[in-house]
Amino acid sequence: MQTRFDAYLTVYLSLIFGIVLSLLFVLIEGAAIGAVRAQAELVADLGLDSVFAEYSREILDQYDLFFVDSSYGSVNGGTGMVERRLADYMSYNMTPDKGLVMPFEHNLLRLENPYLEISEVSCASDDECMVWKAQAVEFMKAVYGGDLVSTVQEHIDTVKSNGLTEKDAAGEIAAQKQALEEALGRKGIVEFGAESSEGYSYQKVSGAFDRLAGGGILALVFPGGGHISGAVMDAGPYFSARKRSGVINKGIGLHEGIDRPDNLVDELIYGEYLMKKCGNFIQPKDTGLLKYQIEYILYGFNSDAGNMRRSVELLFALRSAANLSSICTDSARRSQAEMAATIICVLLLSPELIDVMTAVILGVWALTETVSDMRQLLAGKRVPLIKGSADWNTGLIDLFTGSIPDGGEGASGLTYQDYLRVFLGLMNKNTKAARSLDIVEMDIRQTANNENFRIDRCMDYMMVHFGFQDADGHDFVFWKKMCYQ
C-alpha cells in the first residue's frame, strides 16, 4: 500500500527562503556599498577640512583674511601641490591604522582613492583682485559694521563738485602773472617799481610765487628738514609687474554665493581696509619693505621718497585749488588784496592793471596758505577741505614778509590720512587693487619661510572631483566644493 505525504509547506518555505536569502544578500551588499560610500565622503570631507585648516598664518595675522598658500613656503606652488597634500590627508583617513601591526586584522572595505583632481579654484588675484577684495570688504562689514564711508563719500563729492582735482591753481596764477608782466612790458616797465611804505612791492609778489611754485615744495613743507624714509624696493618680482607680463596663476574668479564688491560703497570700504592695514607717512609700517604703503598704492613709485614727493605735489595742488576758490569769494581778503594792488599799481603808474594785480596777489596768497596747510597736515593736524574765513592761518602781510605760520591744531577738518582716503576713492580701482597686492607680497616676504610668497598662488575656494574604489571593485565618483565664506 502506497502512502502519500503532503509536502506543499516544505516546498513553499524553500521557495520563500530563497527569495528572503536573496533579499538579505542584496541588503547586505547595499549596506556594504553604503558604508563604503559614507566612508569615502567622510574621507573627502576630512581631507578638505585639513587642507583648508592650513591657511596662511601670515595673511591672517597681518590682514585678517583666510587663504591657502598653495606653495606651503616652497619655491613653487599650484593645484598640484594641494592635490598631493589632500591625497596624503585622505590616505591617512582611509587607513588610520597604517603601520600598526594587529593580529588577525582585516579591513572589509579596503577603500582606495585612484582618482583625485582639483577642477576649480579661486585665486586671491582673480578677476582684477576681486576675490581678495571680497573677503576684505566682508571682513570690514562684519567687524566694524555700520556706515564706514559716508564721510569719505561726502568729501569725494565735495572734491568732484568743486573740480579740485581738475583745477591747476598754480597754472592759473602763472598765466595771470604772465599777462600782468606782458602788460607792464608793453608799457616799457621792466623794473617793477619801488617798495611802498607799507612794504608792498611787485618784486615780493613775483618772488613769492617763484618760491612757492618753483618745484621745491618738499623744502617748503618740511622747513626743519623733516625725515623721509629712504626705503626702496625692486618692483619686478611683485604682483603688478607679473600681471602686466601675463605670468600669474588664474582661477575661475569669484565663486558662487559671493557678492561682487564693485560698487562705489564697497570700493570705499576697501579703501578703509587698506588704511587700517597699511602704513602711511603719519603712521609708517616699520615691518614693511616700504613704510609709506598707502602712498605706494596711490602713486606706484619704487621708493618711499618718490611716493611721498608725489603725494605732497598732488595734495599741494588740491589744497591750492581749494584755497584759491575760497579766497576769491572772501570779500574781506579781496578788499585787502585790492588795497595792496592799488598801491603797487600806483607805484608802477599802471592803475588800469589793478584787477589783474589783485588776482595775482590773491593767487599767491592762496599758495602761501597752502604751504601752511601742508605743514599742518604733515604734522598730524587737521585742515578743512573747503575753508571758511575763520579757518585761514596766513595774512596778507605774510605774503610780503615771506613768513609762513604753521597754524594751530584745528578742532575740525581732515587729517593727512583723510586726504589719502579721498585720493584712494578717486583713483582707478584696478590699479589700486593690484598695487595693494604688491604690498601684501612685500609684507609677507619679510617673514620667515615666505621669501617666495606669491599672492596669485593663494586660494579661498576649491572644487574637487574624487574617485574611490572598494575591495570588490565598486567605483564611487563624486565632487565637493569648499570655501572660507
Side-chain angles (χ1 to χ4, degrees):
M1 181 178 177
Q2 185 176 6
T3 303
R4 180 179 178 184
F5 296 96
D6 293 331
Y8 66 90
L9 183 60
T10 301
V11 173
Y12 174 77
L13 290 175
S14 297
L15 294 174
I16 291 298
F17 184 73
I19 295 173
V20 171
L21 192 60
S22 298
L23 176 61
L24 182 61
F25 285 150
V26 169
L27 293 175
I28 292 173
E29 178 73 6
I33 292 174
V36 174
R37 175 173 287 280
Q39 186 188 22
E41 296 209 15
L42 181 61
V43 165
D45 286 336
L46 290 174
L48 282 173
D49 286 342
S50 299
V51 167
F52 275 78
E54 289 189 303
Y55 50 82
S56 169
R57 291 294 308 181
E58 289 299 336
I59 292 180
L60 179 62
D61 290 344
Q62 295 194 48
Y63 292 95
D64 289 304
L65 304 182
F66 288 92
F67 284 92
V68 174
D69 178 4
S70 65
S71 71
Y72 298 99
S74 63
V75 175
N76 300 309
T79 56
M81 293 190 70
V82 181
E83 286 174 352
R84 289 192 290 274
R85 204 87 165 188
L86 178 56
D88 289 342
Y89 287 126
M90 288 169 50
S91 176
Y92 175 80
N93 289 323
M94 285 187 294
T95 56
D97 56 352
K98 185 177 181 179
L100 298 177
V101 178
M102 301 178 63
F104 311 110
E105 69 164 329
H106 181 66
N107 187 337
L108 296 175
L109 302 179
R110 287 194 313 199
L111 191 65
E112 295 180 354
N113 173 228
Y115 175 74
L116 170 65
E117 180 186 17
I118 298 177
S119 58
E120 291 182 358
V121 296
S122 287
C123 298
S125 57
D126 281 353
D127 200 4
E128 299 294 346
C129 313
M130 281 292 177
V131 175
W132 175 271
K133 287 171 64 175
Q135 266 209 56
V137 169
E138 288 303 313
F139 164 77
M140 293 296 289
K141 292 178 178 177
V143 174
Y144 296 97
D147 191 353
L148 289 168
V149 294
S150 61
T151 302
V152 179
Q153 179 63 67
E154 292 173 5
H155 296 331
I156 291 175
D157 290 343
T158 300
V159 168
K160 288 182 176 179
S161 62
N162 289 276
L164 299 184
T165 57
E166 301 169 0
K167 184 180 298 184
D168 180 9
E172 290 181 17
I173 301 164
Q176 292 167 337
K177 179 174 177 289
Q178 181 178 357
L180 175 65
E181 293 177 358
E182 288 176 354
L184 292 172
R186 285 193 294 271
K187 297 183 66 174
I189 301 174
V190 179
E191 296 295 332
F192 296 134
E195 182 176 315
S196 71
S197 59
E198 295 85 355
Y200 301 150
S201 72
Y202 183 67
Q203 287 95 330
K204 289 184 178 180
V205 175
S206 179
F209 176 82
D210 292 340
R211 185 173 70 256
L212 296 170
I217 298 175
L218 281 178
L220 288 172
V221 300
F222 289 108
H227 175 71
I228 295 179
S229 165
V232 179
M233 65 86 171
D234 176 11
Y238 295 103
F239 173 75
S240 291
R242 299 198 311 275
K243 180 175 181 289
R244 288 192 295 270
S245 301
V247 290
I248 59 174
N249 293 324
K250 294 182 180 180
I252 64 168
L254 285 173
H255 54 88
E256 184 180 354
I258 301 299
D259 293 332
R260 187 178 182 85
D262 59 354
N263 59 58
L264 179 58
V265 172
D266 286 342
E267 199 62 35
L268 294 179
I269 290 175
Y270 186 62
E272 188 62 25
Y273 172 80
L274 295 177
M275 290 299 300
K276 291 184 179 297
K277 298 300 179 182
C278 300
N280 58 74
F281 174 75
I282 300 297
Q283 294 179 320
K285 189 169 184 178
D286 293 333
T287 59
L289 180 58
L290 293 179
K291 315 304 178 186
Y292 311 154
Q293 298 172 326
I294 295 294
E295 287 85 346
Y296 170 79
I297 293 171
L298 285 167
Y299 310 117
F301 292 99
N302 69 336
S303 68
D304 279 338
N307 289 311
M308 194 60 202
R309 183 179 299 108
R310 186 59 175 160
S311 182
V312 167
E313 289 172 353
L314 292 185
L315 186 51
F316 186 91
L318 185 146
R319 288 295 329 138
S320 297
N323 288 336
L324 184 60
S325 296
S326 296
I327 200 170
C328 288
T329 58
D330 188 322
S331 58
R333 286 181 173 76
R334 175 172 283 277
S335 296
Q336 294 180 53
E338 287 177 347
M339 177 193 66
T342 301
I343 294 173
I344 293 173
C345 287
V346 168
L347 291 174
L348 295 173
L349 303 177
S350 304
E352 74 279 7
L353 299 178
I354 290 176
D355 288 343
V356 180
M357 183 69 74
T358 300
V360 173
I361 291 175
L362 287 172
V364 178
W365 193 351
L367 294 182
T368 303
E369 180 72 11
T370 298
V371 173
S372 177
D373 292 344
M374 296 296 296
R375 292 180 181 179
Q376 290 183 76
L377 290 171
L378 297 177
K381 299 178 182 180
R382 295 179 178 272
V383 173
L385 187 54
I386 302 296
K387 287 190 170 186
S389 182
D391 297 318
W392 281 63
N393 297 308
T394 59
L396 182 64
I397 191 64
D398 295 317
L399 187 158
F400 291 98
T401 61
S403 62
I404 303 177
D406 292 339
E409 176 66 68
S412 62
L414 283 67
T415 63
Y416 175 76
Q417 292 99 318
D418 291 330
Y419 281 95
L420 293 182
R421 288 179 172 92
V422 171
F423 286 129
L424 284 173
L426 292 170
M427 78 176 295
N428 179 276
K429 63 181 181 180
N430 293 338
T431 302
K432 173 170 53 184
R435 288 178 184 165
S436 69
L437 294 191
D438 289 348
I439 293 296
V440 173
E441 290 191 342
M442 292 180 209
D443 284 348
I444 302 300
R445 290 183 189 181
Q446 303 305 301
T447 61
N449 302 318
N450 286 299
E451 295 83 2
N452 300 295
F453 175 83
R454 284 176 45 169
I455 193 64
D456 52 304
R457 292 173 179 165
C458 296
M459 307 165 183
D460 78 336
Y461 158 84
M462 297 176 194
M463 179 178 178
V464 187
H465 287 269
F466 297 93
F468 289 90
Q469 194 173 71
D470 66 5
D472 294 325
H474 297 116
D475 293 323
F476 305 90
V477 179
F478 54 88
W479 56 265
K480 287 186 176 291
K481 299 178 180 179
M482 186 168 285
C483 65
Y484 282 115
Q485 295 182 339

